[in-house]
Amino acid sequence: MTDSSLLRVRWIAGNTFVEALRQRFFAFLFLLAAGLAASGMLLRTFNFGQSELKFIADFGFGAMFLFGSILAIVMTVQLFFSELDNRTALTLLAKPVRRWEFVLGKFLGIWTLLGVFIALLGVVLAVMLSIRMPELVESASRNGEPLPFLNLKGLGMFCLLQWFRLGVVAALSLMICSFAQTFLYAVIVSAMGILLCQVQSAGVSAFSKPDQETWVRTLANGVGKVIPDLQLFDLGVPLVLSPAGAPQSAVLSALGYGALYMPVLLFITVFLFSDREI
Amino acid sequence: MNSEYAIEIKGLTKDFRTGLRGVKLRAVEDLTLNIPRNTIYGLLGPNGSGKSTTLKILLGLIPATTGTCLIFGNPAGTAKARSHVGFLPEAPYFYRHLSGRELVRFYARVAGVSRNQLDKQVEEALALVNMTEAAARRVGTYSKGMLQRIGLAQAIVHDPQLVILDEPTAGVDPLGAAAIGEILLAMKKRGKTVILCSHLLGQVEELCDRVAILNKGKLILEGAVEEALARREQQVLTVEKLSDETRLAVTSALESNGAKLVEIAHPRISLEKLFVERLAISSSEKKDEVSNDR
Amino acid sequence: MKDSGIIWPWLRRRIIAVVMLCVAGCALSLVGQPAADWQRTHQPAFRSEELKGIVGQGVLLGMFGGLRSIMADMSWVRAYSYWEKRDRAGSESMMRLAIILDPGNIYFWINAANIIGYDQAHWEIAAREYGGRIKVQDSVKQTLYREYAENALKLLDDCIARFPDDSRAYIYAAQLTRNKLNNIPMEAEYYRRAAECKNRVWFAGRIYAMILGEDMGKPEEALEWYRDYYRRILADKRYENRPDLRQIFQENLEDLEERFSPVPVGDSKK
């Protein structure tokens, strides 16, 4: 990758990021996500005790996952297809811009946006947990219950994991865009693909039990190897709420998995996109 | 870049796949064409003749089925070949969220204009297309004509050796079209090569040195404009102050020498030329009135 | 005009892409193996019979969509709304759903058991009494209390199997056994396990000794057990620098000796 390639990628990424940021969809989705995360605070009326911290965290993690995934899929498809539909891709690719520079620039712009989304939501969640924590500690001490535990550094690490997860989601969506002919097709197939990636470990475990037929077990194990496993990134509770934390091997494994899957998916995207007729 | 030709196309064929069954549509068939440097070259043809397909293959936007294309000796479709090219597509559409200046800057950087040359080249391009005043506004607020002009600016901002324009004057008023024509002539004077695709045959006739006409994917005519348009078997004499007696004497002299007078008519200028001339006169009259009032 | 030569390059490229995806997936599954192994141990898979139950609840998509914890929390909140209406079937199904979706949250297990063991029998009795128009016999009531308490204890036993180091499940099981089943030996056993588990609570050991000595009529055994328990705690390196613990245990031991053995034994002071 030469310096001029890097510059082109950077300019395309910057333009993509600014274009995405100026869309109302991002702000709308962020407000929804923050609202869902903040609604965990309403649970204090139920008097869950020290478990309330987990409830708040679950709402925050769920908001990050659900709205982050929607943002990753819809934004990726929209920003990619708008270039093709509006023929701005025509003007851009007529410049000395290589297909891989275009794909990488688009991805980095979207991934940066997703990072901003996760960071903002992480701040919202950290504030809520920090507000509630001292109150719950005092209540638990008074009632002789085990004290709740909160690790904000762990929350930072969890946000990093989610950023990597959404990076894989965006890269997968981009790969589907590279051969999809319509916006709707790309969104639907991407959403189903992500669902499959989230489900695969549960499905593999359920269908690879010894009591299942051999062909079912073989198929389940094979599918499990081939489809990305997005559940690896679900380390929120141990990282944030457990004194024991999550083992470093699991965290590094998930980060490495995401860091390697993204370039693989982008490579396949470039491979498919390189002969697409603009 | 030692080739005498800006573009060399040899045996170019493009088939499109329609549907999964592999039925093909032949858009360009065995096209061989050489476009010399430092010319304004017209590429003409009815809708569906293969003009846009040929341009897209040159730019690497679609792959050829068979045949070769070179741009200044470099294989077409490579980034190196495209670095010498500026392109304005038909009915251009740009990023609406950027201002005109931001847009031209973006394309300049992507095309490789260095940071210390960037401001200068951007402002020059904007001035050339008369968009300096509107450059701060968002592209989403531009009219069609303004979009064409900003599109031309992005095509030339990086000072390419070859400029390809697909319907550059579509939706532009005659004054604007004339201004664009002047720009193209100025580019030719600076040694650039221009390929012009247009349905406005009058403008093509006026600007282009050479033309190629395509129909159903095949080249049906290629050559210099003057040669292609001239009727060699006839001559035109333009005369002033022709009285009836002089006319009779001329007719008799021609017939006695074996020539035949076919027609006597008043020469016509084109409507476009008339329009431009009249507007120019009206503008200069208004200026005189204003200066007299002062 | 048809031409198979035009379809093959298109198809070949897509086949190569699928092969690349499969190869990459297999290779990268090795990178993700440590995380996957940890997930498997800490987030056990659903059993097929559990899956069938969940499909009926219409939460399959949300669960599989990676929102297990949040679906569990929402199920629990729904269970509370059924609790307010004294709806046995609704509250129990929602509580069990929360447990299936998020089995790692001990809060769901303990509170579900408490609601089943303490509240549901009364709801059923109230339902049978039709607002006081019918009087349910005491023997029937006792049977119902027992049945619901046993259901709750079964849930707590499952909880203990999942959280063997957490003393809370043992404590709640002991209390339920005392309050609803009046089974002293079983209660004592739960307190003993609470005292012996990894995250023990100190009062559980004292209560076990009290039950053994007073309610079960084995004072010598109680004293012997508590002295041995005290010795084991002192020998545990985790409590080396805990003079407060020593004081608590010493006071407890003196109190037990006073209750069960009026003449203090010399070596209790060691």
Side-chain angles (χ1 to χ4, degrees):
Chain A
M1 197 188 283
T2 62
D3 284 347
S4 47
S5 287
L6 276 172
L7 272 171
R8 281 191 288 270
V9 168
R10 210 185 77 180
W11 273 81
I12 294 170
N15 186 52
T16 304
F17 175 76
V18 167
E19 188 182 357
L21 206 59
R22 289 184 187 184
Q23 295 198 11
R24 287 193 198 114
F25 185 68
F26 171 76
F28 173 69
L29 221 54
F30 174 72
L31 286 173
L32 272 182
L36 178 61
S39 67
M41 293 293 268
L42 297 173
L43 296 169
R44 63 170 71 189
T45 57
F46 290 98
N47 195 19
F48 289 135
Q50 53 115 336
S51 289
E52 186 187 319
L53 217 60
K54 184 174 182 303
F55 277 77
I56 296 172
D58 283 344
F59 273 63
F61 297 159
M64 261 189 213
F65 169 77
L66 177 65
F67 293 106
S69 299
I70 293 172
L71 188 69
I73 294 170
V74 174
M75 270 299 179
T76 303
V77 175
Q78 198 271 327
L79 289 168
F80 186 87
F81 266 95
S82 67
E83 293 264 12
L84 298 181
D85 288 346
N86 297 334
R87 301 183 319 133
T88 46
L90 210 68
T91 321
L92 190 56
L93 292 172
K95 297 274 184 279
V97 172
R98 295 172 179 85
R99 299 269 174 132
W100 69 262
E101 291 166 354
F102 175 75
V103 167
L104 185 59
K106 279 270 163 238
F107 172 76
L108 289 175
I110 293 162
W111 198 33
T112 307
L113 181 84
L114 293 170
V116 168
F117 177 82
I118 292 290
L120 288 174
L121 217 50
V123 165
V124 168
L125 188 56
V127 164
M128 286 190 327
L129 289 168
S130 302
I131 288 172
R132 200 69 185 112
M133 176 71 171
E135 295 165 3
L136 290 171
V137 165
E138 199 216 317
S139 162
S141 302
R142 230 184 8 245
N143 298 332
E145 288 171 353
L147 298 180
F149 179 83
L150 176 64
N151 183 355
L152 289 175
K153 268 193 195 160
L155 179 60
M157 180 54 73
F158 177 71
C159 288
L160 184 67
L161 282 169
Q162 295 316 295
W163 188 39
F164 274 54
R165 166 164 41 195
L166 292 181
V168 173
V169 171
L172 197 61
S173 302
L174 208 54
M175 189 189 77
I176 291 165
C177 287
S178 66
F179 59 82
Q181 295 299 317
T182 63
F183 175 91
L184 194 62
Y185 174 90
V187 166
I188 290 173
V189 173
S190 299
M192 286 172 59
I194 301 315
L195 204 62
L196 207 62
C197 294
Q198 199 65 32
V199 151
Q200 69 104 306
S201 60
V204 167
S205 299
F207 293 110
S208 59
K209 293 242 159 57
D211 57 341
Q212 296 286 350
E213 294 191 34
T214 313
W215 71 269
V216 171
R217 277 187 280 129
T218 311
L219 185 64
N221 286 321
V223 163
K225 289 261 182 284
V226 160
I227 294 177
D229 183 2
L230 293 182
Q231 279 219 308
L232 296 185
F233 301 93
D234 287 339
L235 296 169
V237 170
L239 278 171
V240 181
L241 300 173
S242 168
Q248 207 177 34
S249 58
V251 175
L252 290 174
S253 163
L255 283 174
Y257 188 78
L260 290 171
Y261 233 117
M262 283 185 272
V264 163
L265 290 169
L266 290 173
F267 179 81
I268 297 172
T269 303
V270 171
F271 178 71
L272 289 169
F273 186 59
S274 60
D275 81 334
R276 182 170 182 142
E277 296 176 351
I278 308 296
Chain B
M1 276 179 40
N2 291 327
S3 169
E4 62 172 295
Y5 295 109
I7 288 178
E8 297 164 73
I9 301 173
K10 205 171 179 182
L12 181 68
T13 300
K14 174 64 186 173
D15 295 324
F16 285 102
R17 179 180 60 84
T18 56
L20 279 171
R21 283 163 37 192
V23 175
K24 69 181 177 191
L25 170 70
R26 182 153 283 186
V28 178
E29 186 169 348
D30 197 29
L31 176 67
T32 296
L33 191 60
N34 293 329
I35 298 176
R37 287 170 183 255
N38 197 217
T39 53
I40 300 179
Y41 199 95
L43 193 59
L44 309 176
N47 294 334
S49 59
K51 306 190 301 294
S52 295
T53 303
T54 305
L55 292 182
K56 284 185 174 180
I57 293 171
L58 280 173
L59 294 166
L61 298 170
I62 56 178
T65 306
T66 56
T68 58
C69 302
L70 299 174
I71 299 178
F72 296 116
N74 300 303
T78 59
K80 191 174 178 192
R82 290 200 298 275
S83 63
H84 303 300
V85 181
F87 175 57
L88 172 63
E90 186 183 354
Y93 192 95
F94 301 109
Y95 302 111
R96 297 169 65 88
H97 64 281
L98 297 176
S99 69
R101 184 169 281 109
E102 286 170 342
L103 184 83
V104 177
R105 281 180 75 88
F106 169 71
Y107 283 119
R109 286 296 266 153
V110 157
V113 174
S114 65
R115 194 176 290 191
N116 43 16
Q117 289 292 314
L118 183 65
D119 290 338
K120 179 168 164 280
Q121 282 185 230
V122 165
E123 293 310 317
E124 274 176 13
L126 288 170
L128 198 62
V129 301
N130 202 20
M131 282 293 289
T132 309
E133 276 179 28
R137 282 169 41 196
R138 284 201 310 125
V139 169
T141 63
Y142 283 179
S143 65
K144 198 164 188 310
M146 291 167 86
L147 277 176
Q148 290 287 143
R149 283 188 278 153
I150 206 73
L152 186 58
Q154 65 81 27
I156 61 175
V157 68
H158 56 296
D159 198 28
Q161 290 303 305
L162 170 67
V163 180
I164 300 175
L165 308 170
D166 198 350
E167 302 291 349
T169 55
V172 179
D173 61 51
L175 274 178
I180 288 173
E182 293 298 320
I183 293 169
L184 300 188
L185 289 169
M187 286 170 68
K188 184 194 163 185
K189 274 201 184 120
R190 283 164 53 202
K192 313 294 182 191
T193 308
V194 179
I195 297 177
L196 179 62
C197 278
S198 179
H199 288 304
L200 300 175
L201 298 179
Q203 192 182 50
V204 172
E205 182 185 334
E206 210 176 295
L207 292 172
C208 294
D209 304 309
R210 300 182 71 85
V211 290
I213 302 178
L214 302 179
N215 188 29
K216 292 185 182 167
K218 291 184 186 165
L219 181 70
I220 57 172
L221 183 135
E222 197 278 334
V225 172
E226 284 302 320
E227 279 180 28
L229 294 181
R231 297 236 179 279
R232 295 267 170 229
E233 66 279 11
Q234 293 181 347
Q235 291 85 34
V236 170
L237 294 174
T238 304
V239 179
E240 286 180 356
K241 297 179 185 166
L242 185 69
S243 63
D244 285 342
E245 296 86 15
T246 314
R247 182 170 57 77
L248 281 169
V250 166
T251 308
S252 161
L254 285 170
E255 280 170 0
S256 64
N257 282 288
K260 185 184 171 194
L261 181 64
V262 174
E263 185 188 38
I264 295 179
H266 295 288
R268 282 158 62 94
I269 62 169
S270 69
L271 180 60
E272 192 177 328
K273 248 194 177 152
L274 175 71
F275 182 86
V276 171
E277 274 177 14
R278 285 291 176 190
L279 281 175
I281 291 167
S282 166
S283 298
S284 84
E285 278 173 359
K286 268 201 183 135
K287 272 187 198 160
D288 290 342
E289 270 178 35
V290 166
S291 60
N292 285 341
D293 285 343
R294 281 197 198 134
Chain C
M1 90 193 75
K2 274 195 188 180
D3 192 336
S4 61
I6 205 160
I7 194 93
W8 172 238
W10 177 89
L11 196 59
R12 182 179 57 205
R13 193 168 277 262
R14 275 135 190 85
I15 292 171
I16 292 171
V18 169
V19 168
M20 281 198 286
L21 204 56
C22 292
V23 168
C26 289
L28 291 175
S29 66
L30 298 171
V31 176
Q33 199 61 48
D37 289 341
W38 191 89
Q39 287 283 356
R40 215 168 288 122
T41 47
H42 291 81
Q43 292 244 47
F46 299 100
R47 294 188 292 269
S48 307
E49 56 272 21
E50 286 174 349
L51 272 172
K52 285 174 198 161
I54 289 165
V55 168
Q57 300 289 345
V59 297
L60 187 65
L61 203 65
M63 177 195 77
F64 282 158
L67 299 170
R68 269 174 72 171
S69 289
I70 205 171
M71 296 301 296
D73 297 344
M74 287 181 176
S75 300
W76 190 259
V77 172
R78 276 186 75 192
Y80 269 29
S81 70
Y82 284 121
W83 182 88
E84 284 183 350
K85 294 177 208 161
R86 299 187 166 196
D87 183 337
R88 277 182 304 118
S91 63
E92 187 162 343
S93 66
M94 283 296 110
M95 288 188 297
R96 289 195 183 272
L97 179 60
I99 289 169
I100 289 169
L101 289 174
D102 192 5
N105 191 350
I106 196 173
Y107 175 86
F108 293 147
W109 295 88
I110 288 172
N111 285 278
N114 283 342
I115 289 171
I116 292 169
Y118 289 106
D119 297 340
Q120 290 193 343
H122 293 281
W123 296 350
E124 183 164 348
I125 291 165
R128 287 188 189 196
E129 288 185 337
Y130 290 103
R133 278 171 283 170
I134 296 173
K135 185 89 175 90
V136 174
Q137 291 175 354
D138 282 344
S139 59
V140 172
K141 284 185 186 176
Q142 293 304 321
T143 307
L144 287 170
Y145 292 147
R146 175 169 295 280
E147 273 177 18
Y148 279 98
E150 282 170 355
N151 282 343
L153 263 182
K154 192 171 176 313
L155 190 58
L156 282 171
D157 284 336
D158 289 342
C159 175
I160 287 166
R162 195 184 158 79
F163 303 96
D165 297 333
D166 196 321
S167 59
R168 284 175 288 179
Y170 300 104
I171 301 295
Y172 280 103
Q175 289 172 345
L176 190 66
T177 310
R178 157 78 68 160
N179 293 333
K180 291 294 180 182
L181 298 177
N182 206 24
N183 186 333
I184 308 298
M186 191 189 284
E187 179 200 358
E189 179 58 16
Y190 278 124
Y191 276 121
R192 186 194 66 75
R193 290 165 73 185
E196 303 271 17
C197 75
K198 194 176 172 189
N199 298 324
R200 63 196 66 171
V201 284
W202 310 116
F203 64 81
R206 184 169 186 278
I207 294 176
Y208 171 64
M210 290 285 286
I211 294 172
L212 194 60
E214 289 187 355
D215 298 328
M216 291 171 69
K218 297 175 185 178
E220 295 86 12
E221 193 181 326
L223 263 179
E224 187 51 44
W225 181 86
Y226 199 78
R227 285 186 189 123
D228 180 61
Y229 185 59
Y230 186 9
R231 268 195 291 274
R232 278 187 280 129
I233 295 300
L234 290 182
D236 192 328
K237 282 195 169 56
R238 283 182 292 169
Y239 312 116
E240 258 176 359
N241 300 318
R242 293 289 304 271
D244 56 317
L245 269 181
R246 288 167 187 269
Q247 189 181 347
I248 289 170
F249 273 94
Q250 189 61 37
E251 286 171 5
N252 285 344
L253 188 58
E254 285 169 6
D255 179 59
L256 287 171
E257 283 169 349
E258 201 180 308
R259 282 170 189 271
F260 302 145
S261 165
V263 177
V265 177
D267 62 355
S268 68
K269 299 264 189 248
K270 288 178 191 166

